[in-house]
Amino acid sequence: MTFTQFSLGALALLPLLAAALTMLLPHPVRRALGVLVALLVAGFTAPVLGSVTSGELTELVLGGFDAPLGIHLRGDGLAAVFLGVTSLVGVVVTGYAAVLPKSTGAHLSATSWVTSHPGFWPLWLGCWSGLNAVYLSGDLFNLYVSLELVGLTAVALVAVGGQSAWEPALRYLFIAVLGSLMFLAGVGLLAAVTGTLDLHQTRSQLDELEDPTLPLLALTLITVGLAMKVALLPMHRWLVPAHSAAPSAVSPILSGVVIKAALVVLLRCWLWALPAVPGMQWLAWLLGGLGVAAVLVGSVLALRQDRLKPLVAYSTVAQIGYWFVAFPLLLHGEHDGAPLGSGAYNGLVALAAGHAIAKAGLFTAAGFLKDRCGTDKMSALRGAGAHHPVLILAMGMCAVGLLGLPISLGFTGKWQLATAAVGAEQWWVLLVVAAGTLLSAAYLLRGIAPLLLQAEVPENAPAAGPVRGRERLGEIAVLIFGVATIGTGLLGAWLGDLLEVGAWW
Amino acid sequence: MILDIAAAALMLGGAFFFSVGTLGLIRFPDVRSRLHGLTKADNLGLGLILGGAALWLGDWSVAGLMLLCWLFALAGSSASAHVIAALETDHAEQREPVHHAGEPPTPADDAATAQVPDPEQES
Amino acid sequence: MVSVDTISWYLLVSTVMIIFGTVRLLLVRDLLARLIALDVTGIGVLLALVALAARSESSDPVLQALVITGLVIAVAFTGLGAVLIRRIEGLREDGGGGDRS
Amino acid sequence: MSTVLDLGLGVAVLIVTGLSLLARSRLVMSMSFLVLGVLVAIVWLRLSSLDVALAEAAIGTGLLSALLVWLAVRSPLPPGAGRMETSHRLRWLRPAVGLVAGTVLTVVTAAVWVRADHRLPAWGEPAQAQLPDTGVEHPITGVLLAFRAYDTLLESGILMLTAAAVLALSRRGGLSAGSTHQLSIHQASAALPPVPATLSWAARMLTPALVLLGLWLLFAGSTDSGGAFQSGAVLAAALILLHCAQVDLRVFQARWLRPLLVGGVVVFVLAGLVGPLLGLPWLSWEPEWAFAAVLVVEVLLTAGITAGLYALFLALENPEGVR
């Protein structure tokens, strides 16, 4: 067994072991163990990225029992990209939460509410192990169990935010679990016809199947279930209250990486598990339409917000629209080989990865300001930038990533999406991308501009307090996100090569 | 053949006692008489059905298992009926129903009660 | 060996349970009703899986193991939902008493 | 004859489902959900899957109803009365939309189910062939703890983290005063009504039988139907019975609940780690010591599930919970 295969298993099981151990430890030791495990998991991501860069797909057969019976963990291109992004976001957020315990929620001590929550650490490490399990898993039922692990820990992480976060957490629980159950119903349908649960074997069985109705129904169930978990437009109402009520260390995790888990499973089912069934085109066009609606409606609603965190949450709803705009293009290039499909696929993954890093940075900054100034009302935050120049710089860089301006993964993604659309003569995609970019420019500036304005009100706002050393470290975390947004912009080509390994075409 | 008829008769009797017990649950006015109807009729019904099933299967080990089931069911239902009756009579008047929280514990005395158990729990 | 029409009958029952539970979950407002609707949907999906397991001669062990795993997950999310409902309704009873964090 | 019984059972399940979903009062909903659990357990038996019926009866019906009853009893609006639906202008619109959408979806899905040409699962023969390697005779326990041990590990992680979330929502974030890691779900300090003699008698009589049944289910799991989950639920029921009889479990709770909760997952991961140390893939056990590994993991998994389910019950039953 090579070290890369060992690291595949370690990526999924090490955070779970650490989550179990932290439950026994007192609060300060939990923070230290959390940071240590975060670095270890980032370390285990390196060999996987290395082996995928060198072009070979590592596969781990768990327990030594082969495909239809046992479970395979596959470290292919898609898994490697999202493992890398999750490790980056995870390490920085873990550092932020360890340095500023105030950001991990609020719990009721004997009499009063105390900021900082010891329960954050086992739940976050459990969520991280679920995320890694989702990216690596090659078995449909195992995807369901991992999605459920990510969903339940994410709900608990929202609920840790105190009294105002309980109601959004419950709404999030209902939608997340309903989505997982519909996904399981779709998996049951597929298993009835193919007789196996492994992704590759399902694909080969479905190739021989002539009657497309059952796979199409299964795909519809899976798509509706996962669209609930990704919060595509009609089913997005749980996202904004949950992400804005969550504690400031949890919001970046939710918006940055937890949503990507459901997106990766959707891509696995659409591209790997099912062949090009005739009816799929209509479903792809429906998703494209919903994507366009999400981009427009999300941006307009973001413009109308008066608080910072809901604004950033609505921008997530808008950015989700971009990924689904790419779906009709994914299957379009089926007949003449896959040059077009791969372009749209690279664009989609680059957009998602860029969004993860930039959104995590923006949400961390918004949470930081809320913790420092007590509120995230934009009118109350006027002039808060004077005390945190580094924070505003980092927020600007993250906004560049979200907007899709040149050197950022967002730009690479939008560029590849546009070229694929031109190749497939789908001109409407260009309109959507342009309109989306303008609207996101509008609401992001609306969020960041008041911070820079000279505050007319005399300096009695809580932000006037001296910035302690810890807060400086918190700002460094947001700066790392900003620099990473710009830095990963240069890795567009490397991303394309990564995605070649184990691709579906 | 005789055994099958006997088994069928036992099971029908059991079903009859079950329906009578349920009828009692619906028709009787207050809690105690409902408990009375339920525990007596249903337990007898259960015993008859288990006896019928044991006869039908005609196997001693299964019969022993059925008897054990019946004893546990008897213990469970009689204990719970007794507890409900005891709680119902002692506290029907002075304890307002649990689900009605009445006046919520004000945070002040909530703190007081919170303090009380802690030191003792630590020792 | 369970006969084929019994299996399709239980598949039909499970479909009705899934859709009934989903529609009820999305429409009703009371929290406990939504939690029970979620559970009914879960039981419906598991019923479909067991009906599939019953097709092979001595019902298929792998699908049964999956259903047992699904059952424990159902208890997990019901427990979490129940505690959240209890906390929210404790909050409502107090009229949002105590300092809101 | 069997189809008539199945038809009746299916119709009964649908009626009770309707009752549990459309009922107005919370008590009727929880009670009909309990009845639904019992009926579905019988349906599992009709579909000849005994393990799932055991698990449904123990976990699905027993413990779920213990949790839901607490919700129905402690809810703000009295369980008996109270119309949940606020009557607004188009009162009939919601049910009409629900009915139409429901029937259309059911017809479409049922049509697909009926016309699908089913295919038997491909893992039938390999499962039989490789069962001896797992060191366990019963196929389902073999699947749960050897073939798909990864699923079971993630799922026991889910139960542990749900219990952690429930502890986090209780007072002091689940940690007791100071840095000691004792559990801080303290019990109702308001005087509970004195326990009638019969309950303590019943607890003293029934608990040994329950613990014996739980342990038998656990060890029977390797050769016959039974296993970690069913025995965990039965042992949790024994703990709940003791707790209701107001036996003082606070010492056990404070010191043992958390290590028990965590032990199952930790030992499972470490047992999985043994494979790579010998050059085998993760979670793989040599046939020689496979039975020992599976047994140790199963025992601690049972302890973890018992502690997890008991923590769920404690957090709900606790009237001094976080307001």
Side-chain angles (χ1 to χ4, degrees), chain D residues 94-167:
Chain D
R94 272 173 181 264
V97 164
L99 202 63
V100 167
T103 35
V104 164
L105 288 173
T106 314
V107 166
V108 166
T109 323
V112 170
W113 267 123
V114 168
R115 288 201 5 260
D117 47 8
H118 289 268
R119 160 193 273 279
L120 285 186
W123 50 64
E125 309 76 29
Q128 295 306 340
Q130 291 168 341
L131 191 57
D133 303 346
T134 63
V136 175
E137 287 81 29
H138 189 59
I140 292 177
T141 316
V143 170
L144 272 176
L145 286 168
F147 296 142
R148 298 185 73 94
Y150 183 57
D151 271 349
T152 314
L153 173 55
L154 284 184
E155 175 257 323
S156 55
I158 286 177
L159 192 63
M160 176 189 78
L161 288 167
T162 309
V166 156
L167 293 181

Coordinates of all heavy atoms in Angstrom, one line a residue, chain D residues 94-167:
Chain D
R94 N -53.5 25.4 0.3 CA -52.4 24.5 0.6 C -52.7 23.1 0.5 O -52.1 22.3 -0.3 CB -51.9 24.8 2.1 CG -50.9 25.9 2.2 CD -50.7 26.2 3.7 NE -49.8 27.3 3.8 CZ -48.5 27.1 4.0 NH1 -48.0 25.9 4.2 NH2 -47.7 28.2 4.1
P95 N -53.8 22.6 1.1 CA -54.1 21.2 1.0 C -54.4 20.8 -0.5 O -53.9 19.7 -1.0 CB -55.4 21.0 1.8 CG -55.5 22.1 2.7 CD -54.8 23.3 2.0
A96 N -55.0 21.7 -1.3 CA -55.3 21.3 -2.7 C -54.0 21.2 -3.4 O -53.8 20.1 -4.1 CB -56.1 22.4 -3.3
V97 N -53.1 22.1 -3.3 CA -51.8 22.0 -4.0 C -51.1 20.8 -3.6 O -50.6 20.0 -4.4 CB -50.9 23.3 -3.6 CG1 -49.5 23.0 -4.0 CG2 -51.5 24.5 -4.3
G98 N -51.1 20.5 -2.2 CA -50.4 19.3 -1.7 C -51.0 18.0 -2.4 O -50.3 17.2 -2.9
L99 N -52.3 18.0 -2.4 CA -53.0 16.8 -2.9 C -52.7 16.6 -4.4 O -52.2 15.5 -4.8 CB -54.5 16.9 -2.7 CG -55.3 15.6 -2.7 CD1 -54.9 14.8 -1.5 CD2 -56.8 15.9 -2.6
V100 N -52.8 17.6 -5.2 CA -52.6 17.5 -6.6 C -51.1 17.1 -6.9 O -50.9 16.0 -7.5 CB -52.9 18.8 -7.3 CG1 -52.4 18.8 -8.8 CG2 -54.4 19.1 -7.3
A101 N -50.2 17.8 -6.3 CA -48.8 17.5 -6.5 C -48.5 16.1 -6.0 O -47.8 15.3 -6.8 CB -47.9 18.5 -5.7
G102 N -49.1 15.7 -4.9 CA -48.8 14.3 -4.4 C -49.3 13.3 -5.3 O -48.5 12.3 -5.7
T103 N -50.5 13.4 -5.8 CA -51.0 12.3 -6.7 C -50.3 12.2 -8.0 O -49.8 11.2 -8.4 CB -52.5 12.6 -7.0 OG1 -52.7 14.0 -7.1 CG2 -53.4 12.0 -5.9
V104 N -49.9 13.4 -8.5 CA -49.2 13.4 -9.8 C -47.9 12.7 -9.6 O -47.5 11.7 -10.3 CB -49.0 14.8 -10.3 CG1 -47.9 14.8 -11.4 CG2 -50.3 15.4 -10.8
L105 N -47.1 13.1 -8.6 CA -45.8 12.5 -8.4 C -45.9 11.0 -8.1 O -45.2 10.2 -8.6 CB -45.1 13.2 -7.2 CG -44.6 14.6 -7.4 CD1 -44.2 15.2 -6.2 CD2 -43.5 14.6 -8.5
T106 N -47.0 10.6 -7.3 CA -47.1 9.2 -7.0 C -47.3 8.4 -8.2 O -46.7 7.3 -8.5 CB -48.3 9.0 -6.0 OG1 -48.2 10.0 -5.0 CG2 -48.3 7.6 -5.4
V107 N -48.2 8.9 -9.1 CA -48.5 8.1 -10.3 C -47.3 7.9 -11.2 O -46.9 6.8 -11.6 CB -49.7 8.8 -11.1 CG1 -49.8 8.3 -12.5 CG2 -51.0 8.7 -10.3
V108 N -46.5 9.0 -11.3 CA -45.3 9.0 -12.2 C -44.3 8.0 -11.6 O -43.9 7.0 -12.3 CB -44.7 10.4 -12.3 CG1 -43.3 10.3 -12.9 CG2 -45.6 11.3 -13.1
T109 N -44.0 8.1 -10.3 CA -43.0 7.2 -9.7 C -43.5 5.8 -9.8 O -42.7 4.9 -10.1 CB -42.8 7.7 -8.2 OG1 -42.9 9.1 -8.2 CG2 -41.4 7.2 -7.8
A110 N -44.8 5.6 -9.4 CA -45.2 4.2 -9.4 C -45.1 3.6 -10.8 O -44.7 2.4 -11.0 CB -46.7 4.1 -8.9
A111 N -45.5 4.4 -11.9 CA -45.4 3.9 -13.2 C -44.0 3.4 -13.5 O -43.7 2.3 -14.0 CB -45.8 4.9 -14.2
V112 N -43.0 4.3 -13.1 CA -41.6 3.9 -13.4 C -41.2 2.7 -12.6 O -40.6 1.7 -13.2 CB -40.7 5.1 -13.0 CG1 -39.2 4.7 -13.1 CG2 -41.0 6.3 -13.9
W113 N -41.6 2.6 -11.4 CA -41.2 1.4 -10.6 C -41.7 0.1 -11.2 O -41.0 -0.9 -11.4 CB -41.8 1.5 -9.2 CG -41.0 2.1 -8.1 CD1 -41.3 3.1 -7.4 CD2 -39.7 1.7 -7.7 NE1 -40.3 3.4 -6.5 CE2 -39.3 2.5 -6.7 CE3 -38.8 0.7 -8.1 CZ2 -38.0 2.5 -6.0 CZ3 -37.6 0.6 -7.5 CH2 -37.2 1.4 -6.5
V114 N -43.0 0.2 -11.7 CA -43.6 -1.0 -12.2 C -42.9 -1.5 -13.5 O -42.6 -2.6 -13.7 CB -45.2 -0.8 -12.4 CG1 -45.7 -1.9 -13.2 CG2 -45.9 -0.6 -11.1
R115 N -42.6 -0.5 -14.3 CA -42.1 -0.9 -15.6 C -40.6 -1.2 -15.6 O -40.0 -1.7 -16.5 CB -42.4 0.2 -16.7 CG -43.8 0.3 -17.0 CD -44.1 1.0 -18.3 NE -43.0 1.4 -19.1 CZ -42.5 2.6 -19.2 NH1 -43.1 3.6 -18.4 NH2 -41.5 3.0 -19.9
A116 N -39.9 -0.9 -14.5 CA -38.4 -1.1 -14.5 C -38.1 -2.6 -14.5 O -38.8 -3.4 -13.8 CB -37.9 -0.5 -13.2
D117 N -37.2 -3.0 -15.3 CA -36.8 -4.4 -15.3 C -35.7 -4.6 -14.3 O -34.5 -4.2 -14.5 CB -36.3 -4.8 -16.7 CG -35.3 -3.8 -17.3 OD1 -34.9 -2.9 -16.5 OD2 -34.9 -3.9 -18.5
H118 N -36.1 -5.1 -13.1 CA -35.1 -5.1 -12.0 C -34.0 -6.0 -12.3 O -34.1 -6.9 -13.1 CB -35.9 -5.7 -10.7 CG -36.9 -4.6 -10.2 ND1 -36.5 -3.8 -9.2 CD2 -38.1 -4.4 -10.6 CE1 -37.5 -3.0 -9.0 NE2 -38.5 -3.3 -9.8
R119 N -32.9 -5.8 -11.6 CA -31.7 -6.7 -11.8 C -31.2 -7.0 -10.4 O -31.1 -6.1 -9.6 CB -30.6 -5.9 -12.6 CG -29.2 -6.4 -12.5 CD -28.3 -5.4 -13.0 NE -28.1 -5.6 -14.5 CZ -27.3 -6.5 -15.0 NH1 -26.7 -7.3 -14.2 NH2 -27.1 -6.6 -16.3
L120 N -30.9 -8.3 -10.1 CA -30.5 -8.7 -8.8 C -29.1 -8.1 -8.5 O -28.3 -8.0 -9.4 CB -30.5 -10.2 -8.7 CG -31.9 -10.8 -8.5 CD1 -31.8 -12.3 -8.3 CD2 -32.6 -10.2 -7.4
P121 N -28.8 -7.7 -7.3 CA -27.5 -7.1 -6.9 C -26.4 -8.1 -7.3 O -26.5 -9.3 -7.2 CB -27.6 -6.9 -5.4 CG -29.0 -7.1 -5.0 CD -29.7 -7.9 -6.1
A122 N -25.3 -7.4 -7.7 CA -24.1 -8.2 -8.2 C -23.3 -8.7 -7.0 O -22.3 -9.5 -7.2 CB -23.3 -7.3 -9.1
W123 N -23.5 -8.3 -5.8 CA -22.6 -8.7 -4.7 C -23.1 -9.9 -4.0 O -22.6 -10.3 -2.9 CB -22.5 -7.5 -3.7 CG -23.9 -7.0 -3.3 CD1 -24.9 -7.7 -2.6 CD2 -24.4 -5.7 -3.5 NE1 -25.9 -6.9 -2.4 CE2 -25.7 -5.6 -3.0 CE3 -23.9 -4.5 -4.2 CZ2 -26.5 -4.5 -3.1 CZ3 -24.8 -3.4 -4.2 CH2 -26.0 -3.4 -3.7
G124 N -24.1 -10.6 -4.6 CA -24.6 -11.9 -3.9 C -23.5 -12.9 -3.7 O -23.1 -13.2 -2.6
E125 N -22.9 -13.3 -4.9 CA -21.9 -14.4 -4.8 C -20.6 -13.9 -4.0 O -20.2 -14.6 -3.1 CB -21.5 -14.9 -6.2 CG -22.7 -15.3 -7.1 CD -23.4 -14.0 -7.6 OE1 -22.7 -13.0 -7.7 OE2 -24.6 -14.0 -7.8
P126 N -20.0 -12.8 -4.4 CA -18.8 -12.4 -3.6 C -19.1 -12.3 -2.1 O -18.2 -12.7 -1.3 CB -18.4 -11.0 -4.2 CG -19.5 -10.6 -5.1 CD -20.3 -11.8 -5.5
A127 N -20.3 -11.9 -1.7 CA -20.5 -11.8 -0.3 C -20.4 -13.2 0.3 O -19.8 -13.4 1.3 CB -21.9 -11.2 -0.1
Q128 N -21.1 -14.2 -0.3 CA -21.1 -15.5 0.3 C -19.6 -16.0 0.3 O -19.1 -16.5 1.3 CB -21.9 -16.5 -0.6 CG -23.4 -16.2 -0.6 CD -23.9 -16.1 0.8 OE1 -23.3 -16.6 1.8 NE2 -25.1 -15.4 1.0
A129 N -18.9 -15.8 -0.8 CA -17.6 -16.3 -0.9 C -16.6 -15.8 0.1 O -15.9 -16.5 0.8 CB -17.0 -16.1 -2.3
Q130 N -16.7 -14.4 0.3 CA -15.7 -13.8 1.2 C -16.2 -13.7 2.6 O -15.5 -13.2 3.5 CB -15.4 -12.4 0.7 CG -14.6 -12.4 -0.6 CD -14.6 -11.0 -1.3 OE1 -15.4 -10.2 -1.0 NE2 -13.7 -10.9 -2.2
L131 N -17.4 -14.3 3.0 CA -17.9 -14.1 4.3 C -16.9 -14.8 5.3 O -16.6 -14.2 6.4 CB -19.3 -14.8 4.4 CG -20.0 -14.5 5.7 CD1 -20.2 -13.0 6.0 CD2 -21.4 -15.1 5.7
P132 N -16.4 -16.0 5.1 CA -15.5 -16.6 6.1 C -14.3 -15.6 6.4 O -13.8 -15.6 7.6 CB -15.0 -17.9 5.4 CG -15.9 -18.2 4.4 CD -16.6 -16.9 3.9
D133 N -13.8 -14.8 5.5 CA -12.7 -14.0 5.8 C -13.0 -13.0 6.9 O -12.2 -12.5 7.6 CB -12.2 -13.1 4.6 CG -11.9 -14.1 3.4 OD1 -11.8 -15.3 3.7 OD2 -11.8 -13.7 2.3
T134 N -14.3 -12.7 7.1 CA -14.7 -11.6 8.0 C -14.7 -12.2 9.5 O -14.8 -11.4 10.4 CB -16.1 -11.1 7.8 OG1 -17.0 -12.2 7.9 CG2 -16.2 -10.6 6.3
G135 N -14.6 -13.5 9.6 CA -14.6 -14.1 11.0 C -15.9 -14.1 11.6 O -16.1 -14.3 12.8
V136 N -17.0 -13.8 10.8 CA -18.3 -13.7 11.4 C -19.2 -14.5 10.5 O -19.1 -14.5 9.3 CB -18.9 -12.2 11.4 CG1 -20.3 -12.2 11.9 CG2 -18.0 -11.3 12.2
E137 N -20.2 -15.3 11.1 CA -21.0 -16.2 10.2 C -22.2 -15.4 9.7 O -22.6 -15.6 8.6 CB -21.6 -17.4 11.0 CG -20.5 -18.4 11.3 CD -19.6 -18.0 12.5 OE1 -20.2 -17.3 13.4 OE2 -18.5 -18.4 12.6
H138 N -22.8 -14.5 10.5 CA -24.0 -13.8 10.1 C -23.7 -12.8 9.0 O -22.9 -11.9 9.2 CB -24.7 -13.1 11.3 CG -26.0 -12.6 11.0 ND1 -27.1 -13.5 10.6 CD2 -26.6 -11.4 11.0 CE1 -28.1 -12.8 10.4 NE2 -27.9 -11.5 10.6
P139 N -24.3 -12.9 7.8 CA -23.9 -12.1 6.7 C -24.1 -10.6 7.0 O -23.3 -9.8 6.7 CB -24.8 -12.5 5.5 CG -25.9 -13.3 6.2 CD -25.4 -13.9 7.4
I140 N -25.2 -10.2 7.7 CA -25.4 -8.8 7.9 C -24.4 -8.2 8.8 O -23.8 -7.1 8.5 CB -26.9 -8.6 8.5 CG1 -27.9 -8.9 7.4 CG2 -27.0 -7.1 8.9 CD1 -29.3 -8.8 7.9
T141 N -24.0 -8.9 9.9 CA -23.0 -8.3 10.7 C -21.6 -8.3 9.9 O -20.8 -7.4 10.1 CB -22.8 -9.2 12.0 OG1 -24.1 -9.5 12.4 CG2 -22.0 -8.5 13.0
G142 N -21.5 -9.3 9.0 CA -20.3 -9.3 8.2 C -20.2 -8.1 7.3 O -19.2 -7.4 7.2
V143 N -21.4 -7.7 6.7 CA -21.4 -6.5 5.9 C -21.2 -5.3 6.7 O -20.3 -4.4 6.4 CB -22.8 -6.4 5.2 CG1 -22.9 -5.1 4.5 CG2 -22.9 -7.5 4.1
L144 N -21.8 -5.2 7.9 CA -21.8 -4.0 8.7 C -20.3 -3.8 9.2 O -19.9 -2.6 9.2 CB -22.7 -4.1 9.9 CG -24.2 -3.6 9.6 CD1 -25.1 -3.8 10.8 CD2 -24.2 -2.1 9.2
L145 N -19.7 -4.8 9.6 CA -18.4 -4.6 10.3 C -17.2 -5.0 9.5 O -16.1 -4.9 10.0 CB -18.4 -5.3 11.7 CG -19.4 -4.6 12.7 CD1 -19.6 -5.5 13.9 CD2 -18.8 -3.3 13.1
A146 N -17.4 -5.5 8.3 CA -16.2 -5.9 7.6 C -16.3 -5.4 6.1 O -15.5 -4.5 5.7 CB -16.0 -7.4 7.5
F147 N -17.3 -5.8 5.4 CA -17.3 -5.4 4.0 C -17.5 -3.9 3.8 O -16.7 -3.2 3.2 CB -18.5 -6.1 3.2 CG -18.4 -7.6 3.2 CD1 -19.5 -8.4 3.3 CD2 -17.1 -8.2 3.0 CE1 -19.3 -9.8 3.3 CE2 -17.0 -9.6 3.0 CZ -18.1 -10.4 3.1
R148 N -18.5 -3.3 4.5 CA -18.7 -1.9 4.5 C -18.4 -1.3 5.8 O -19.2 -0.4 6.3 CB -20.1 -1.6 4.0 CG -20.5 -2.1 2.6 CD -21.8 -1.7 2.2 NE -21.9 -0.3 1.8 CZ -21.7 0.1 0.6 NH1 -21.5 -0.7 -0.4 NH2 -21.8 1.4 0.3
A149 N -17.3 -1.6 6.5 CA -17.0 -1.1 7.8 C -16.9 0.4 7.8 O -17.2 1.1 8.7 CB -15.7 -1.7 8.3
Y150 N -16.5 0.9 6.6 CA -16.3 2.4 6.5 C -17.6 3.1 6.7 O -17.7 4.1 7.4 CB -15.7 2.7 5.1 CG -15.4 4.1 4.8 CD1 -14.5 4.8 5.6 CD2 -15.9 4.7 3.7 CE1 -14.2 6.1 5.3 CE2 -15.6 6.1 3.4 CZ -14.8 6.8 4.2 OH -14.4 8.1 3.9
D151 N -18.7 2.6 6.1 CA -20.0 3.2 6.3 C -20.4 3.2 7.8 O -20.8 4.2 8.3 CB -21.1 2.3 5.5 CG -21.2 2.8 4.1 OD1 -20.7 3.9 3.8 OD2 -21.8 2.1 3.3
T152 N -20.2 2.0 8.4 CA -20.6 1.9 9.8 C -19.8 2.9 10.7 O -20.3 3.5 11.6 CB -20.4 0.5 10.3 OG1 -20.9 -0.4 9.3 CG2 -21.0 0.2 11.6
L153 N -18.5 3.1 10.3 CA -17.6 4.0 11.1 C -18.2 5.4 10.9 O -18.3 6.1 11.9 CB -16.2 3.9 10.5 CG -15.2 4.9 11.1 CD1 -15.1 4.8 12.6 CD2 -13.8 4.6 10.5
L154 N -18.4 5.8 9.7 CA -18.9 7.2 9.5 C -20.3 7.4 10.2 O -20.5 8.4 10.9 CB -19.1 7.5 8.0 CG -17.8 7.7 7.2 CD1 -18.2 8.1 5.8 CD2 -17.0 8.9 7.8
E155 N -21.1 6.3 10.2 CA -22.4 6.4 10.8 C -22.3 6.5 12.3 O -23.0 7.3 13.0 CB -23.3 5.3 10.3 CG -24.6 5.2 10.9 CD -24.6 4.1 11.9 OE1 -23.9 3.1 11.7 OE2 -25.2 4.3 13.0
S156 N -21.4 5.7 12.9 CA -21.2 5.9 14.4 C -20.6 7.2 14.7 O -20.9 7.8 15.8 CB -20.4 4.7 14.9 OG -19.2 4.7 14.2
G157 N -19.8 7.8 13.8 CA -19.3 9.1 13.9 C -20.5 10.1 14.0 O -20.5 11.1 14.8
I158 N -21.5 9.9 13.1 CA -22.6 10.8 13.0 C -23.4 10.8 14.4 O -23.7 11.8 14.9 CB -23.6 10.3 11.9 CG1 -23.1 10.7 10.5 CG2 -25.0 10.9 12.1 CD1 -23.9 10.2 9.4
L159 N -23.6 9.6 14.9 CA -24.3 9.5 16.2 C -23.5 10.2 17.3 O -24.1 10.9 18.1 CB -24.6 8.0 16.6 CG -25.6 7.8 17.7 CD1 -27.0 8.4 17.3 CD2 -25.7 6.4 18.1
M160 N -22.2 9.9 17.3 CA -21.4 10.6 18.3 C -21.4 12.1 18.2 O -21.6 12.8 19.2 CB -19.9 10.1 18.2 CG -19.0 10.8 19.1 SD -17.3 10.4 18.8 CE -17.0 11.5 17.4
L161 N -21.3 12.6 17.0 CA -21.3 14.1 16.8 C -22.7 14.7 17.1 O -22.8 15.8 17.5 CB -20.8 14.4 15.4 CG -19.3 14.2 15.2 CD1 -18.9 14.2 13.8 CD2 -18.5 15.2 16.0
T162 N -23.8 13.9 16.8 CA -25.1 14.4 17.2 C -25.2 14.5 18.7 O -25.7 15.5 19.2 CB -26.2 13.4 16.7 OG1 -25.9 13.2 15.3 CG2 -27.6 14.0 16.9
A163 N -24.7 13.5 19.4 CA -24.7 13.6 20.9 C -23.8 14.8 21.3 O -24.2 15.6 22.2 CB -24.1 12.3 21.5
A164 N -22.7 15.0 20.6 CA -21.8 16.2 20.9 C -22.6 17.5 20.7 O -22.6 18.4 21.5 CB -20.6 16.2 20.1
A165 N -23.4 17.5 19.6 CA -24.2 18.8 19.3 C -25.2 19.0 20.4 O -25.4 20.1 20.9 CB -24.8 18.6 18.0
V166 N -25.8 17.9 20.8 CA -26.9 18.0 21.9 C -26.2 18.5 23.2 O -26.8 19.3 23.9 CB -27.6 16.6 22.0 CG1 -28.2 16.5 23.4 CG2 -28.6 16.4 20.9
L167 N -25.0 17.9 23.5 CA -24.4 18.4 24.7 C -24.0 19.9 24.5 O -24.1 20.7 25.5 CB -23.1 17.6 24.9 CG -23.3 16.1 25.2 CD1 -21.9 15.5 25.4 CD2 -24.1 16.0 26.4

